[in-house]
Amino acid sequence: MPELVFFSGTMDCGKSTLALQIEHNRSARGLQGMIFTRDDRAGAGKLSSRLGLVTDAVEAAEGFDFYAYLVGHLSKGGRCDYVIADEAQFLAPEQIDQLARVVDDLELDVFAFGITTDFRSKLFPGSQRLVELADRVEVLQVEALCWCGARATHNARTVGGEMVVEGAQVVVGDVNAGDEVGEVGYEVLCRRHHRRRMTAATARAAALSPDVLPVPAEEFSDRPTVRS
Ligand SMILES: Nc1ncnc2c1ncn2[C@@H]1O[C@H](COP(=O)(O)OP(=O)(O)O)[C@@H](O)[C@H]1O
Ligand SMILES: Cc1cn([C@H]2C[C@H](O)[C@@H](COP(=O)(O)O)O2)c(=O)[nH]c1=O
């Protein structure tokens, strides 16, 4: 039975790499996939992984109709054995409905890849629809880590290294960026540090702050004794 599968995780957990691996393994067996993406960091019509691999893809911009596109392709004698859709969080809910229709009516597997929540830890509309419609939601196994070493579960947007909670939902960008003043970047965090808005940079700054350095004993002398 063909399936709609949503491969989900934080930024930088290997979603695009897995998309490229699925594509590689299937094409190695003579299957022909149709690859879609939207607003990849590498530019329009590209599906790229931080491991350095990149492939051409059809840019599924706003208003793009997946079902109509694939019906058009097949009816012109084109071949398509499966579908890959990367950066699926950016798709509109109607486009996810079209992908479900591709599975049900065209009987093609659809593998969608994307982050579930935005920098405010709110669902992207496309990801919400995928959770609602997918036959399976697969959380990626290679876990991205928070600076504290815990599993990263949330995506933070940073400006000058500090986490921000205001701004447009969609701002294309990357992790390991945003350290310069005014520069937007992203950082994956565990929930605890996302809630506390504590990024690697602010944690580092706090650790260096005189407030948390060991305080000489005489400075405590005028403080009341804490009873246990
Ligand atoms: N230099 C590197 N060596 C080994 N693995 C790397 C390197 N750079 C990135 N990676 C791996 O690639 C993952 C990011 O892959 P990518 O497919 O771009 O992520 P996503 O699409 O989920 O944002 C990282 O979590 C890491 O496991
Ligand atoms: C959290 C968050 C992310 N984005 C953007 C930033 C990147 O361009 C993509 C995620 O790509 P990845 O391959 O998963 O790293 O999404 C955004 O626009 N808004 C956000 O809140």
Side-chain angles (χ1 to χ4, degrees):
M1 277 287 263
E3 283 187 313
L4 174 60
V5 188
F6 180 30
F7 292 96
S8 172
T10 59
M11 287 180 70
D12 200 26
C13 71
K15 300 178 301 298
S16 301
T17 305
L18 179 61
L20 289 161
Q21 287 174 315
I22 289 177
E23 158 62 15
H24 174 82
N25 291 353
R26 290 183 173 239
S27 62
R29 290 286 178 240
L31 296 172
Q32 213 164 301
M34 185 70 77
I35 305 177
F36 298 96
T37 190
R38 170 131 173 214
D39 289 339
D40 189 286
R41 284 180 306 277
K46 297 285 174 202
L47 188 167
S48 70
S49 141
R50 290 182 183 81
L51 280 180
L53 294 170
V54 58
T55 191
D56 289 333
V58 177
E59 183 75 13
E62 197 181 338
F64 179 86
D65 186 330
F66 285 91
Y67 184 78
Y69 182 91
L70 283 160
V71 167
H73 173 76
L74 295 169
S75 57
K76 278 186 259 162
R79 181 172 165 194
C80 180
D81 300 311
Y82 61 94
V83 169
I84 285 174
D86 198 22
E87 305 293 354
Q89 73 275 2
F90 293 149
L91 300 176
E94 311 80 78
Q95 291 176 311
I96 305 299
D97 283 67
Q98 293 156 12
L99 289 175
R101 191 169 174 206
V102 167
V103 176
D104 297 341
D105 296 359
L106 304 182
E107 302 192 342
L108 300 176
D109 279 319
V110 174
F111 306 111
F113 299 81
I115 53 178
T116 321
T117 53
D118 68 9
F119 68 112
R120 291 195 195 97
S121 65
K122 301 286 179 204
L123 286 166
F124 281 93
S127 307
Q128 179 182 340
R129 196 68 187 132
L130 272 163
V131 170
E132 289 163 353
L133 289 185
D135 295 288
R136 276 189 295 136
V137 177
E138 298 276 345
V139 177
L140 264 75
Q141 301 233 320
V142 179
E143 50 194 36
L145 299 180
C146 178
W147 58 266
C148 70
R151 182 188 178 116
T153 47
H154 289 68
N155 304 298
R157 182 178 292 162
T158 59
V159 176
E162 298 203 359
M163 181 170 153
V164 295
V165 291
E166 300 293 331
Q169 186 176 49
V170 177
V171 177
V172 174
D174 204 352
V175 293
N176 301 322
D179 289 339
E180 303 302 321
V181 177
E183 189 195 3
V184 173
Y186 289 94
E187 182 174 335
V188 292
L189 297 174
C190 65
R191 187 189 59 233
R192 176 170 312 193
H193 289 126
H194 195 275
R195 282 185 44 246
R196 293 177 184 166
R197 300 189 193 173
M198 198 179 269
T199 62
T202 52
R204 223 174 11 247
L208 292 173
S209 154
D211 295 344
V212 294
L213 287 175
V215 180
E218 60 270 20
E219 285 194 39
F220 284 106
S221 56
D222 58 351
R223 293 188 188 176
T225 310
V226 180
R227 290 177 210 281
S228 56

